[in-house]
Amino acid sequence: MAKILSLANQKGGVGKTTTAINLSAALAREGKRVLLVDADPQANASSGLGVEIRELEQTIYECLVNHIDPHDAVIATSVENLDLIPSHIDLVGAEIEMLNLDNREHLMKNILNSLRSEYDYILIDCSPSLGLITVNALTASDAVIIPVQCEFFALEGIAKLLSTIKIIKQNLNPSLQIEGFLLTMYDNRLRLSAQVYEEVKKHFGELVFDTVIPRNVRLSEAPSHGLCVLDYDASSKGAQCYINLAKEILKR
């Protein structure tokens, strides 16, 4: 049975999609069967894995709104052991369309439960918001990974996200856990990066991953080639860090 992990932070530009793509690929490289669910209307996780979004007929949108069989939306990626349920810009309107549906907070959970026995890990790339689709993702998840950018306002949005997680635990998903806080875009030339790391570590202790994701040119370039960084440049520092993160998660 798959462990379901959401990657969530309502603050944009924190490396959430980069982590979704490359952690999924790294877990697949470790021999795990992995499904990545792109639950962001921007569909960057889909295009970042080389999917031509305009040609798609079945996406997570059709699963949520039209109740199609999720198996029909699953596509294989170029990474062995890694499948994808892609997203589409139509997902922008899904939250309004879902408002009148029964059990609307549990739609994603029902979708993923039908796939759970086929994978070891299911990762959900959430949109940078705390709307109904992100609530669906957290309700469906066993745990959440929170990427935190090493910058001055890093901790600003975390309180709101933690409050949302608390509400979901109380009302929708009592077993939801925080898998960990992942420091991203770390620049060892800047004292600020070290200060943010220390601050997050002071607040959240053992919940902070040992692995830190650096600023890395190869990480930034890989999506434009439709590749995960492990296929784009396996020797890069970014690739090695995501391999380390996957191993850290497997140990937990």
Side-chain angles (χ1 to χ4, degrees), residues 21-36:
I21 292 171
N22 294 304
L23 175 57
S24 296
L27 287 167
R29 285 288 176 86
E30 292 293 318
K32 300 301 178 184
R33 297 166 302 160
V34 184
L35 174 67
L36 175 58

Side-chain angles (χ1 to χ4, degrees), residues 1 5 11-12 20 22 24 40 44 53 55 109-110 112 116 118 146 150 157 182 202 208-209 224 226:
M1 289 286 280
L5 298 170
K11 195 171 186 303
N22 294 304
S24 296
D40 185 346
N44 289 337
I53 298 159
E55 296 175 4
K109 184 174 185 176
N110 295 336
L112 299 185
R116 199 163 187 162
E118 298 166 36
I146 303 172
C150 290
L182 176 68
K202 185 173 80 177
V208 182
F209 286 109
S224 64

Side-chain angles (χ1 to χ4, degrees), residues 92-107:
V92 168
E95 295 199 353
I96 302 218
E97 294 176 70
M98 289 160 64
L99 283 176
N100 294 323
L101 298 178
D102 292 334
N103 224 14
R104 60 180 180 264
E105 294 89 357
H106 292 86
L107 294 173

Side-chain angles (χ1 to χ4, degrees), residues 186-250:
Y186 188 93
D187 189 337
N188 57 16
R189 298 168 300 175
L190 300 178
R191 186 185 299 173
L192 179 62
S193 286
Q195 288 173 337
V196 171
Y197 179 84
E198 290 304 320
E199 192 73 13
V200 175
K201 192 78 177 169
K202 185 173 80 177
H203 276 81
F204 303 110
E206 294 300 310
L207 285 174
V208 182
F209 286 109
D210 293 332
T211 304
V212 173
I213 307 301
R215 285 196 179 275
N216 181 256
V217 172
R218 294 309 204 200
L219 275 178
S220 303
E221 291 174 346
S224 64
H225 296 270
L227 295 169
C228 67
V229 73
L230 282 77
D231 285 341
Y232 183 64
D233 185 352
S235 64
S236 67
K237 193 172 181 183
Q240 293 305 310
C241 286
Y242 277 111
I243 290 168
N244 291 341
L245 178 63
K247 288 177 176 174
E248 195 175 341
I249 286 171
L250 291 173

